[in-house]
Amino acid sequence: MESPCLLRHLRDELDAFRDCLDGDLSVPVEHCGTWTLRDLAEHLGGSNLWAAAAVTEQHGGHEPGAAPRDRAGLVRWFEESARTLLDALDTDPEAGAWTFHPPATVGFWQRRRALETLVHRWDAEHALGRARPLDPLLAGEGVSEVFDTMAPRQVARGRAHPPSRALRLEATDTGAGWTYGPGTPAATLAAPAEQLLLLLWGARRCRAGRSPGPATAGPAWRSSPAR
């Protein structure tokens, strides 16, 4: 996806997540361990500030601090974090930035923040019982990111093993496809891009697809892989 499209999605997803903060902040977020919606808001807002600093300060050591405990303060803090992030990212995507995986550009963060916010918006809405669909093309971008950034990152850090056999994923709504691992795919999963992305991030079970043999869909990560 091009930079203007990613930034537009990021703005929309940040606004949608902020709308969730009018709901019950104590509701548990099913796919984020013991987190409540308030915890998720603090994580996403803190990650906004952390990513903004990676662009403006050129390092990954920024610690954003705790969010306010009261609802009004939390909402203002989150809105400010979103503005700070958008201001930092509204620049040339080829400009340099600190990143936790190549490329070391602002474009990396435009993509990463749009995709993290997409998934966490869904987490928040799902917790409140009102999850809306994911944009299919953006969800497909998220699947690509898992295989070109997240999985290699986890392997490099010793948190996951490289696959011994290939897995094929096919998005039935966009026509996109991905192969992860060496050789001929041992299995193929076919589903809408939204379901594939949520499966990879641990928010869906494998229900769709065709499989000629055993394979695994790989690891699912629910917190920031750069921390």
Side-chain angles (χ1 to χ4, degrees), residues 4-199:
C5 185
L6 288 168
L7 288 174
R8 185 183 72 250
H9 279 299
L10 176 57
R11 292 186 187 96
D12 291 346
E13 296 296 339
L14 285 167
D15 287 344
F17 186 92
R18 181 262 172 261
D19 290 343
C20 292
L21 302 184
D22 293 332
D24 181 1
L25 296 178
S26 68
V27 68
V29 181
E30 181 179 356
H31 308 100
C32 293
T34 61
W35 282 359
T36 64
L37 178 55
R38 190 204 172 281
D39 296 324
L40 182 60
E42 182 167 12
H43 165 73
L44 188 60
S47 296
N48 287 342
L49 297 173
W50 180 73
V55 172
T56 60
E57 300 175 17
Q58 298 286 313
H59 65 77
H62 179 74
E63 291 295 335
R69 297 301 305 177
D70 64 292
R71 182 192 299 273
L74 175 67
V75 170
R76 286 194 300 270
W77 176 85
F78 182 82
E79 291 172 343
E80 290 169 3
S81 82
R83 285 193 295 270
T84 298
L85 176 67
L86 290 168
D87 286 347
L89 296 184
D90 189 14
T91 189
D92 180 1
E94 297 301 319
W98 179 91
T99 64
F100 59 83
H101 193 82
T105 64
V106 171
F108 173 95
W109 288 114
Q110 292 172 342
R111 183 195 199 206
R112 174 84 286 271
R113 297 314 300 162
L115 296 172
E116 179 163 6
T117 308
L118 173 72
V119 172
H120 284 327
R121 183 270 294 171
W122 185 92
D123 285 331
E125 290 183 346
H126 179 73
L128 294 170
R130 61 189 200 209
R132 295 174 298 117
L134 308 185
D135 178 88
L137 293 179
L138 187 60
E141 188 74 23
V143 175
S144 295
E145 187 200 43
V146 167
F147 293 133
D148 65 38
T149 300
M150 297 305 182
R153 169 68 170 169
Q154 299 303 311
V155 171
R157 299 194 71 177
R159 295 175 175 175
H161 298 290
S164 60
R165 302 179 68 183
L167 173 70
R168 177 75 179 169
L169 271 66
E170 296 177 354
T172 56
D173 50 352
T174 68
W178 305 265
T179 299
Y180 179 61
T184 302
T188 298
L189 300 177
E194 171 180 321
Q195 292 186 25
L196 295 176
L197 179 62
L198 294 175
L199 168 67

